[in-house]
Structures are given as C-alpha cells and as structure tokens.
Amino acid sequence: NAGVMQNPRHLVRRRGQEARLRCSPMKGHSHVYWYRQLPEEGLKFMVYLQKENIIDESGMPKERFSAEFPKEGPSILRIQQVVRGDSAAYFCASSPSGGLAEQYFGPGTRLTVT
Amino acid sequence: AQSVTQLGSHVSVSEGALVLLRCNYSSSVPPYLFWYVQYPNQGLQLLLKYTSAATLVKGINGFEAEFKKSETSFHLTKPSAHMSDAAEYFCAVSPNNNAGNMLTFGGGTRLMVKP
C-alpha cells in the first residue's frame, strides 16, 4: 500500500509565478491536511479538507493561497504570485477519518522562490 | 489557543545514553499530545500519542512519554540511544474534540547521537 505521495518533491518558481503542489492520500483516506514548515521552524497547520469540502482553512493566508480536494484526483495547494516568503516545505497528511485518526504524512514539497 | 514549546533545538547524546527531549504545552482544555519523528527528506512518522488514557505512553522504537498535567509537560524519553535515532523530533498538540485533528507543532528538536 503506497503511502501519501506528494509531487513535485522540489519546485522552483520565480517571484510572481504560480505554484501547484499535489498530494495523493493513502488509499481509502478521505481527509487531507496541509502544513507548512518554514526554515528552522515547526510545521504550521494550513487547511483541512475532506472530499469536495474545505472543513477548516483557519491557517491559510488570506490572499494568494487556495486548496481543493476534488472527488477524483489529488488534493491541490495552489499559491498564486509567489513571493520569497513562500519558500518553505509543504507537507500534506491524510487520514481515514476525522477526529483522532492518525495522520500519515507525505515526504513534502520543498518550494524555493527565486 | 494552544501552543507547544520544545526546549532545546539541538540535543546531542552518546550512543547508549539516555535520551530526554522536552515538550511543554499550553492549552485551555485537556489536550491530545503527540510525538513525531522526521528523518532527512522524509515526512513525519508518529512515535506515540496521549489521548487521556494512561499517562505513561509507550511508542515505537523504544520511546515513551509521560503526560504530567501539573507540569503541562509531555517529555519524550528512551533509555538507550541508537545511532539510528538521529533525526528531528516534533511534539504536537491537538484540540480535544472531534472537529478534526489539526495539529499545533513545536519548533522541533534535532537529536544527534555520537558513537
């Protein structure tokens, strides 16, 4: 059973471009969480999604960031008009249900904005 | 609001020595607490979790942690360090509800194991 997959693993974007980060949850998992890890910091919660629904986006920046988890296909974290401060590692985690179900983390996407 | 503080961003121990990684939390309600390990270029792996049952929690790879409400602590220990334990360790807290398991992480502690 494949684990959580994220691609690309490394992404380089110039300021002003768009970044699309993909997360394929484990088979049978319908809950996805996105976290951001800035250099030398811990992970910060961004958004919690179930299939076709955003449940909690309290950690998302108000502008330029959006997330979706369609009925078919991976979850997408989209960052428009990237700035240098967006450079970070972005991790997604999936779980089979909400509540205290264990989250399984992907290897992360390291975004570098030049 | 919940928060987690990990004392010591870097900890170095000798192989075979006791590992102690400190975690203190702040929460207005009894929290759920977790320890995760992150190996280089990998995602986080759950070591153990406290969910208001036994206060001494045993996890994988010989690690354990004790929930101490009076000290608002959840320190991670292992009696004897192995070289393979070298990694970054994160303590995390989540709200005690069923609304989703949004984790709040500490800043992490990088454990180095000397031969």
Side-chain angles (χ1 to χ4, degrees):
Chain A
N1 184 15
V4 177
M5 300 178 67
Q6 291 187 248
N7 67 79
R9 294 291 307 274
H10 300 274
L11 181 62
V12 180
R13 284 287 177 265
R14 292 186 180 148
R15 281 178 295 173
Q17 291 184 318
E18 178 180 288
R20 279 180 177 248
L21 288 62
R22 294 174 182 76
C23 170
S24 296
M26 289 181 69
K27 187 176 180 180
H29 287 194
S30 59
H31 297 244
V32 167
Y33 301 80
W34 284 93
Y35 296 86
R36 177 166 64 174
Q37 183 178 31
L38 294 170
E40 304 301 320
E41 293 186 17
L43 283 75
K44 298 281 195 293
F45 166 75
M46 298 181 76
V47 62
Y48 166 38
L49 309 105
Q50 294 179 31
K51 287 279 188 182
E52 300 183 277
N53 285 305
I54 296 174
I55 306 303
D56 187 321
E57 56 182 347
S58 58
M60 288 278 270
K62 293 290 184 271
E63 297 177 347
R64 303 187 296 108
F65 284 72
S66 62
E68 63 177 9
F69 189 15
K71 187 177 180 181
E72 302 290 338
S75 175
I76 305 287
L77 180 67
R78 182 182 177 206
I79 311 172
Q80 296 178 291
Q81 299 176 313
V82 296
V83 301
R84 287 231 173 99
D86 297 332
S87 295
Y90 292 83
F91 291 93
C92 85
S94 73
S95 69
S97 62
L100 280 181
E102 180 178 344
Q103 294 179 37
Y104 295 81
F105 281 79
T109 294
R110 277 153 183 81
L111 172 66
T112 301
V113 179
T114 61
Chain B
Q2 299 179 310
S3 66
V4 177
T5 302
Q6 291 184 240
L7 283 175
S9 58
H10 293 79
V11 170
S12 180
V13 300
S14 297
E15 192 174 19
L18 171 72
V19 176
L20 170 60
L21 305 182
R22 299 179 187 276
C23 172
N24 288 88
Y25 68 91
S26 171
S27 177
S28 57
V29 297
Y32 294 137
L33 294 157
F34 306 80
W35 274 100
Y36 283 83
V37 60
Q38 184 182 29
Y39 297 102
N41 298 317
Q42 295 186 28
L44 279 68
Q45 180 183 5
L46 181 66
L47 277 177
L48 49 80
K49 63 184 178 184
Y50 166 76
T51 57
S52 72
T55 56
L56 181 61
V57 181
K58 294 188 183 298
I60 61 172
N61 301 339
F63 284 94
E64 62 182 36
E66 186 172 8
F67 172 68
K68 291 187 177 180
K69 184 178 179 181
S70 61
E71 298 177 9
T72 60
S73 68
F74 191 56
H75 302 329
L76 182 71
T77 60
K78 181 174 180 178
S80 176
H82 294 166
M83 296 296 292
S84 60
D85 294 327
E88 186 138 25
Y89 292 80
F90 292 95
C91 181
V93 62
S94 78
N96 187 347
N97 59 46
N98 287 318
N101 195 16
M102 290 75 78
L103 297 169
T104 298
F105 286 88
T109 298
R110 187 171 299 278
L111 176 65
M112 294 166 282
V113 182
K114 299 175 291 186

